[in-house]
Coordinates of all heavy atoms in Angstrom, one line a residue:
G19 N 0.8 -1.2 0.0 CA 0.0 0.0 0.0 C 0.9 1.2 0.0 O 0.6 2.2 -0.7
G20 N 2.0 1.2 0.8 CA 2.9 2.3 0.8 C 3.6 2.4 -0.6 O 3.9 3.5 -1.0
A21 N 3.9 1.3 -1.2 CA 4.5 1.3 -2.5 C 3.6 2.0 -3.6 O 4.0 2.8 -4.4 CB 4.9 -0.1 -2.9
F22 N 2.3 1.6 -3.5 CA 1.4 2.2 -4.5 C 1.3 3.7 -4.2 O 1.3 4.5 -5.1 CB 0.0 1.6 -4.3 CG -1.1 2.2 -5.1 CD1 -1.0 2.3 -6.5 CD2 -2.3 2.6 -4.5 CE1 -2.0 2.9 -7.2 CE2 -3.3 3.1 -5.2 CZ -3.2 3.3 -6.6
G23 N 1.2 4.1 -2.9 CA 1.2 5.6 -2.6 C 2.4 6.3 -3.1 O 2.3 7.4 -3.5
Y24 N 3.6 5.6 -3.0 CA 4.8 6.2 -3.4 C 4.9 6.4 -4.9 O 5.3 7.5 -5.5 CB 6.0 5.4 -3.0 CG 7.4 6.0 -3.2 CD1 7.7 7.1 -2.4 CD2 8.3 5.4 -4.0 CE1 8.9 7.8 -2.5 CE2 9.6 6.0 -4.1 CZ 9.9 7.2 -3.4 OH 11.1 7.8 -3.6
I25 N 4.3 5.4 -5.7 CA 4.2 5.6 -7.1 C 3.3 6.8 -7.5 O 3.6 7.6 -8.4 CB 3.7 4.3 -7.8 CG1 4.8 3.2 -7.7 CG2 3.4 4.5 -9.2 CD1 6.1 3.4 -8.5
V26 N 2.1 6.8 -6.8 CA 1.2 7.9 -7.0 C 1.9 9.3 -6.7 O 1.7 10.2 -7.4 CB -0.1 7.7 -6.2 CG1 -1.0 8.9 -6.2 CG2 -0.8 6.5 -6.6
Y27 N 2.6 9.3 -5.6 CA 3.4 10.6 -5.2 C 4.3 10.9 -6.3 O 4.4 12.1 -6.8 CB 4.1 10.3 -3.9 CG 5.1 11.4 -3.6 CD1 4.7 12.8 -3.4 CD2 6.4 11.0 -3.5 CE1 5.7 13.7 -3.1 CE2 7.4 12.0 -3.3 CZ 7.0 13.3 -3.1 OH 7.9 14.3 -2.8
L28 N 5.2 10.0 -6.7 CA 6.2 10.3 -7.8 C 5.6 10.7 -9.1 O 6.2 11.5 -9.9 CB 7.1 9.1 -7.9 CG 8.0 8.7 -6.8 CD1 8.9 7.5 -7.1 CD2 9.0 9.9 -6.4
S29 N 4.4 10.2 -9.4 CA 3.8 10.5 -10.7 C 3.3 11.9 -10.7 O 3.0 12.5 -11.8 CB 2.6 9.5 -10.9 OG 1.5 9.8 -10.0
G30 N 3.1 12.6 -9.6 CA 2.6 13.9 -9.5 C 1.0 13.9 -9.3 O 0.5 15.0 -9.3
I31 N 0.4 12.7 -9.2 CA -1.0 12.7 -9.1 C -1.4 13.3 -7.8 O -2.4 14.1 -7.7 CB -1.5 11.2 -9.1 CG1 -1.3 10.6 -10.5 CG2 -3.0 11.1 -8.7 CD1 -1.6 9.1 -10.6
G32 N -0.7 13.0 -6.7 CA -1.1 13.6 -5.4 C -0.9 15.1 -5.4 O -1.8 15.8 -4.9
E33 N 0.2 15.6 -6.0 CA 0.4 17.1 -6.1 C -0.7 17.7 -6.9 O -1.2 18.8 -6.5 CB 1.8 17.3 -6.7 CG 2.1 18.8 -6.7 CD 3.5 19.0 -7.2 OE1 4.2 18.0 -7.5 OE2 3.9 20.2 -7.4
Y34 N -1.1 17.0 -8.0 CA -2.2 17.6 -8.8 C -3.5 17.7 -8.0 O -4.2 18.7 -8.1 CB -2.4 16.8 -10.1 CG -3.4 17.3 -11.0 CD1 -3.1 18.2 -12.0 CD2 -4.8 16.9 -10.9 CE1 -4.1 18.8 -12.8 CE2 -5.8 17.4 -11.7 CZ -5.4 18.3 -12.7 OH -6.4 18.9 -13.5
I35 N -3.8 16.6 -7.3 CA -5.1 16.6 -6.5 C -5.0 17.7 -5.4 O -6.0 18.4 -5.2 CB -5.3 15.2 -5.8 CG1 -5.6 14.2 -7.0 CG2 -6.4 15.3 -4.9 CD1 -5.7 12.7 -6.4
V36 N -3.9 17.8 -4.8 CA -3.7 18.8 -3.7 C -3.8 20.2 -4.3 O -4.5 21.1 -3.8 CB -2.3 18.7 -3.0 CG1 -2.1 19.8 -2.1 CG2 -2.3 17.4 -2.2
N37 N -3.2 20.5 -5.5 CA -3.3 21.8 -6.1 C -4.7 22.1 -6.5 O -5.2 23.2 -6.4 CB -2.3 21.8 -7.3 CG -0.9 21.8 -6.9 OD1 -0.5 22.2 -5.8 ND2 0.0 21.4 -7.8
T38 N -5.4 21.1 -7.1 CA -6.7 21.3 -7.5 C -7.7 21.6 -6.4 O -8.5 22.6 -6.4 CB -7.3 20.0 -8.2 OG1 -6.5 19.7 -9.3 CG2 -8.7 20.2 -8.7
L39 N -7.5 20.9 -5.2 CA -8.3 21.1 -4.0 C -8.0 22.5 -3.5 O -8.8 23.2 -3.0 CB -8.1 20.0 -3.0 CG -8.7 18.7 -3.4 CD1 -8.3 17.6 -2.3 CD2 -10.2 18.7 -3.5
T40 N -6.6 22.9 -3.6 CA -6.2 24.2 -3.1 C -6.8 25.3 -3.9 O -7.3 26.3 -3.3 CB -4.7 24.3 -3.1 OG1 -4.1 23.2 -2.3 CG2 -4.2 25.7 -2.6
E41 N -6.9 25.2 -5.2 CA -7.5 26.1 -6.1 C -9.0 26.3 -5.8 O -9.6 27.4 -6.1 CB -7.3 25.7 -7.5 CG -5.8 25.8 -8.0 CD -5.7 25.3 -9.4 OE1 -6.7 24.9 -10.0 OE2 -4.5 25.3 -9.9
L42 N -9.6 25.2 -5.2 CA -11.0 25.3 -4.9 C -11.1 25.8 -3.4 O -12.2 25.7 -2.8 CB -11.6 23.9 -5.0 CG -11.6 23.3 -6.4 CD1 -12.2 21.8 -6.4 CD2 -12.6 24.1 -7.3
N43 N -10.1 26.4 -3.0 CA -10.0 26.9 -1.5 C -10.3 25.8 -0.5 O -10.9 26.0 0.5 CB -11.1 28.0 -1.4 CG -10.8 29.3 -2.2 OD1 -9.6 29.6 -2.3 ND2 -11.7 29.9 -2.8
I44 N -9.8 24.6 -0.8 CA -9.9 23.5 0.2 C -8.5 23.4 0.8 O -7.5 23.1 0.1 CB -10.3 22.2 -0.6 CG1 -11.7 22.3 -1.2 CG2 -10.3 21.1 0.4 CD1 -12.1 21.2 -2.0
G45 N -8.4 23.6 2.1 CA -7.1 23.5 2.7 C -6.6 22.1 2.9 O -7.3 21.2 2.6
L46 N -5.3 22.0 3.3 CA -4.7 20.8 3.4 C -5.3 19.8 4.4 O -5.3 18.6 4.3 CB -3.2 21.0 3.8 CG -2.2 21.2 2.7 CD1 -0.8 21.5 3.3 CD2 -2.2 20.0 1.8
I47 N -5.9 20.4 5.5 CA -6.6 19.6 6.5 C -7.8 18.9 5.9 O -8.0 17.7 6.1 CB -7.0 20.4 7.8 CG1 -5.8 20.9 8.5 CG2 -7.9 19.6 8.7 CD1 -6.0 21.8 9.6
T48 N -8.6 19.7 5.2 CA -9.8 19.1 4.5 C -9.3 18.1 3.4 O -10.0 17.1 3.2 CB -10.6 20.2 3.9 OG1 -11.1 21.0 5.0 CG2 -11.9 19.7 3.2
T49 N -8.3 18.5 2.7 CA -7.7 17.6 1.6 C -7.3 16.3 2.2 O -7.6 15.2 1.6 CB -6.5 18.3 1.0 OG1 -6.9 19.5 0.4 CG2 -6.0 17.3 -0.1
G50 N -6.7 16.3 3.3 CA -6.2 15.0 4.0 C -7.4 14.2 4.4 O -7.5 12.9 4.1
F51 N -8.5 14.8 4.9 CA -9.7 14.1 5.3 C -10.4 13.5 4.1 O -10.8 12.3 4.1 CB -10.6 15.0 6.0 CG -11.9 14.4 6.4 CD1 -12.1 13.5 7.5 CD2 -13.1 14.7 5.6 CE1 -13.3 12.9 7.8 CE2 -14.3 14.1 6.0 CZ -14.4 13.2 7.0
L52 N -10.6 14.3 3.0 CA -11.3 13.9 1.8 C -10.5 12.8 1.1 O -11.1 11.8 0.6 CB -11.6 15.0 0.9 CG -12.6 16.1 1.4 CD1 -12.7 17.2 0.4 CD2 -14.0 15.4 1.6
L53 N -9.2 13.0 1.0 CA -8.4 12.0 0.2 C -8.4 10.7 0.9 O -8.6 9.6 0.3 CB -7.0 12.5 0.1 CG -6.0 11.6 -0.7 CD1 -6.5 11.4 -2.1 CD2 -4.6 12.2 -0.7
A54 N -8.3 10.6 2.2 CA -8.3 9.4 3.0 C -9.7 8.7 2.9 O -9.8 7.5 2.8 CB -7.9 9.6 4.4
A55 N -10.7 9.5 2.9 CA -12.1 9.0 2.8 C -12.3 8.4 1.4 O -12.9 7.3 1.3 CB -13.1 10.1 3.1
I56 N -11.9 9.1 0.4 CA -12.0 8.5 -1.0 C -11.2 7.3 -1.2 O -11.7 6.3 -1.7 CB -11.5 9.6 -2.0 CG1 -12.5 10.8 -2.0 CG2 -11.4 9.0 -3.5 CD1 -11.9 12.0 -2.8
L57 N -10.0 7.2 -0.6 CA -9.2 6.0 -0.8 C -9.8 4.9 0.1 O -9.7 3.7 -0.4 CB -7.8 6.3 -0.3 CG -6.9 7.2 -1.2 CD1 -5.6 7.6 -0.5 CD2 -6.6 6.4 -2.5
R58 N -10.4 5.2 1.2 CA -11.0 4.1 2.0 C -12.2 3.5 1.3 O -12.3 2.3 1.3 CB -11.5 4.7 3.3 CG -12.4 3.7 4.2 CD -11.4 2.6 4.8 NE -12.1 1.5 5.5 CZ -12.8 1.7 6.7 NH1 -12.8 2.8 7.3 NH2 -13.3 0.6 7.2
A59 N -13.0 4.3 0.6 CA -14.1 3.8 -0.2 C -13.6 2.9 -1.3 O -14.2 1.9 -1.7 CB -14.9 4.9 -0.7
A60 N -12.5 3.4 -1.9 CA -12.0 2.7 -3.2 C -11.2 1.4 -2.8 O -11.4 0.4 -3.5 CB -11.1 3.6 -3.9
L61 N -10.4 1.5 -1.8 CA -9.5 0.4 -1.5 C -10.0 -0.6 -0.5 O -9.6 -1.7 -0.4 CB -8.1 0.9 -1.0 CG -7.4 1.9 -1.9 CD1 -6.1 2.4 -1.3 CD2 -7.1 1.3 -3.3
G62 N -11.0 -0.2 0.3 CA -11.5 -1.0 1.4 C -10.8 -1.0 2.6 O -11.3 -0.6 3.7
S63 N -9.5 -1.3 2.6 CA -8.7 -1.3 3.9 C -8.4 0.1 4.4 O -7.9 1.0 3.6 CB -7.4 -2.0 3.6 OG -6.4 -1.8 4.6
S64 N -8.8 0.4 5.6 CA -8.5 1.6 6.2 C -7.0 1.9 6.4 O -6.5 3.0 6.1 CB -9.2 1.8 7.6 OG -8.7 0.8 8.5

């Protein structure tokens, strides 16, 4: 799971999502909450 996250991080996907949420005036705290919630729904494992 950490390996998958590292690949996502290196690809720039995470930075793009963060920047997009930032442009929508969504702070890092809310971004962290939403991203983890989305991943929980998608991946199953908390």
Side-chain angles (χ1 to χ4, degrees):
F22 176 52
Y24 191 62
I25 292 293
V26 170
Y27 163 67
L28 292 177
S29 70
I31 292 172
E33 184 178 354
Y34 181 87
I35 293 174
V36 171
N37 290 337
T38 301
L39 292 174
T40 302
E41 291 173 3
L42 296 172
N43 293 322
I44 299 176
L46 272 177
I47 294 175
T48 300
T49 299
F51 176 78
L52 292 177
L53 182 59
I56 292 169
L57 289 171
R58 174 72 188 285
L61 303 178
S63 168
S64 62

